Amino acid sequence: MEASYTTIRDLKLKVYTTKERTHMHEENSLIKPKIVALFGNPVKHSLSPIMHNIAFDELKMNWFYFAFEVDKRKLEEAITGIKTMDFRGANITVPFKKQVCDFVDRLTNEAHFIGAVNTIINNEGELIGDNTDGFGFVRALIANKLNIENEKILLLGAGGAARAISYSLMKNYECDLTIANRTLLNAELLTQDLEEVTMKNIKSYPLNEVFRIISNFDIIINTLPVDPPPRIIDSLINNSNTCQIFIDIRYGKMLSKYFKALEEVDIKTMDGKTMLLYQGVLSFEKWTGVKPPIKTMKRALL
Ligand code: ATR
């Protein structure tokens, strides 16, 4: 069974047919339905369609969100299709976030810096490539009432997610940032790029050595596709540290073991679900100009 159907049922929401939904919206909107697409491969496990469609439903908006599994050789045609079919926009997911930069008409500053697009807005035929991952992360921090201002932050990783998060952190806060990465050169390249756009001083460090200075940091953010090196976790558990918050942008069962160990020594943890929610909230706001029902969208991710 498809994951999305199970989720709808679990949520105990009424599943409307397209005919019912169009009819339901008629009284509120005489304009034709608006469509937003998700392009990726695979897409069938994505929670975005249900997250956006239940928000459209709750606001009685005549909008629909559809997921399309795109062949990588047809990506350009799919993106052109946004204009041809007058979609309001799209989300882009793996593996196309970088490639799609070449097929939009313009990039926002965020998307340009990150080198990746997760949201396209079709402004009367002009496709704007944007990226809401970094600001989604910042909105997640605000929602969780986490203070970043003047804090000493360690970011693990220097890939796409780290670029998005570090850019938004440095643009929004006065904080002291260190980037640790397996390949030190990649951390140094990111640091240089960030210093150029923010005019702030940022440090880089080898990932396998950073456990030695772990007590310097108030907040640690893991953007790696794997658990942080065990020596980092061991140092946090066995020594007295300043670290109060540990964030991992992944979510699911894989985090439970090391999160539990950190929580036992009173370190607060946050996983990537809230970031996922708020990158969606930001995309929704950019397409519709309307604030979505965040609690309802959150239920779709549970
Ligand atoms: P994303 O876009 O999701 O951030 P990415 O751009 O492929 O993914 O970046 C992956 C990051 O995780 C990089 O910082 C990478 O380190 P390198 O620059 O040395 O390649 C890091 N990474 C990936 N696998 C890792 C592993 N097994 N151990 C440590 N770091 C890893």
Side-chain angles (χ1 to χ4, degrees), residues 98 157-162 181-183 186 207 223-226:
K98 283 184 187 152
N181 197 46
R182 177 177 63 181
T183 311
N186 290 341
L207 183 66
T223 71
L224 305 175
V226 292

Side-chain angles (χ1 to χ4, degrees), residues 170 177-179 190-191 194-195 198 200-204:
M170 298 312 290
L177 182 66
T178 300
I179 298 173
L190 175 55
T191 302
L194 281 166
E195 286 186 337
T198 64
K200 290 174 184 169
N201 186 20
I202 297 149
K203 296 177 268 304
S204 38

Side-chain angles (χ1 to χ4, degrees), residues 247-291:
I247 302 170
D248 194 312
I249 63 164
R250 299 171 299 157
Y251 51 85
K253 287 192 188 116
M254 63 180 90
L255 300 179
S256 57
K257 201 165 164 221
Y258 94 82
F259 264 25
K260 198 160 177 270
L262 293 175
E263 283 156 10
E264 276 167 11
V265 291
D266 290 332
I267 295 174
K268 193 172 172 180
T269 57
M270 180 180 121
D271 71 9
K273 273 270 173 79
T274 325
M275 178 181 171
L276 177 68
L277 169 68
Y278 280 98
Q279 62 77 31
V281 167
L282 284 170
S283 300
F284 189 103
E285 288 172 0
K286 284 168 191 264
W287 297 317
T288 66
V290 167
K291 294 224 173 299

Side-chain angles (χ1 to χ4, degrees), residues 10 34 77 81 143 157 160 169 186 200 213 216 231 242 263 281 283 300:
D10 290 349
K34 289 206 165 57
E77 286 173 46
L169 287 178
N186 290 341
K200 290 174 184 169
I213 56 162
N216 292 356
R231 284 202 282 192
T242 50
E263 283 156 10
V281 167
S283 300

Side-chain angles (χ1 to χ4, degrees), residues 14-135:
K14 172 160 172 46
V15 184
Y16 297 102
T17 63
T18 306
K19 197 174 160 196
E20 278 176 323
R21 286 189 62 186
T22 309
H23 183 70
M24 183 172 89
H25 294 302
E26 260 167 15
E27 286 171 19
N28 301 298
S29 171
L30 293 171
I31 54 169
K32 66 174 181 167
K34 289 206 165 57
I35 292 177
V36 181
L38 168 68
F39 295 140
N41 196 337
V43 290
K44 72 176 175 191
H45 297 297
S46 171
L47 295 171
S48 294
I50 182 172
M51 180 168 79
H52 289 289
N53 281 323
I54 62 173
F56 293 148
D57 272 353
E58 183 158 319
L59 298 177
K60 297 208 178 335
M61 293 169 69
N62 199 13
W63 289 56
F64 299 86
Y65 187 108
F66 294 113
F68 297 93
E69 198 155 276
V70 176
D71 182 317
K72 70 172 187 295
R73 291 161 300 185
K74 300 277 176 64
L75 180 65
E76 185 171 7
E77 286 173 46
I79 301 301
T80 309
I82 297 173
K83 288 187 193 181
T84 316
M85 292 179 283
D86 198 23
F87 290 177
R88 175 59 181 136
N91 273 145
I92 308 297
T93 187
V94 282
F96 302 131
K97 285 183 172 190
K98 283 184 187 152
Q99 208 184 332
V100 95
C101 291
D102 295 334
F103 305 137
V104 292
D105 298 313
R106 185 160 67 80
L107 292 172
T108 61
N109 290 341
E110 290 79 41
H112 178 74
F113 182 84
I114 299 161
V117 164
N118 80 334
T119 302
I120 295 177
I121 303 117
N122 179 5
N123 265 353
E124 294 174 355
E126 187 192 31
L127 297 188
I128 299 164
D130 200 352
N131 195 310
T132 63
D133 286 335
F135 285 106

Side-chain angles (χ1 to χ4, degrees), residues 2-12 47 50 300 302:
E2 296 290 333
S4 53
Y5 294 123
T6 314
T7 313
I8 291 171
R9 200 164 293 153
D10 290 349
L11 282 167
K12 297 192 171 49
L47 295 171
I50 182 172
L302 289 178

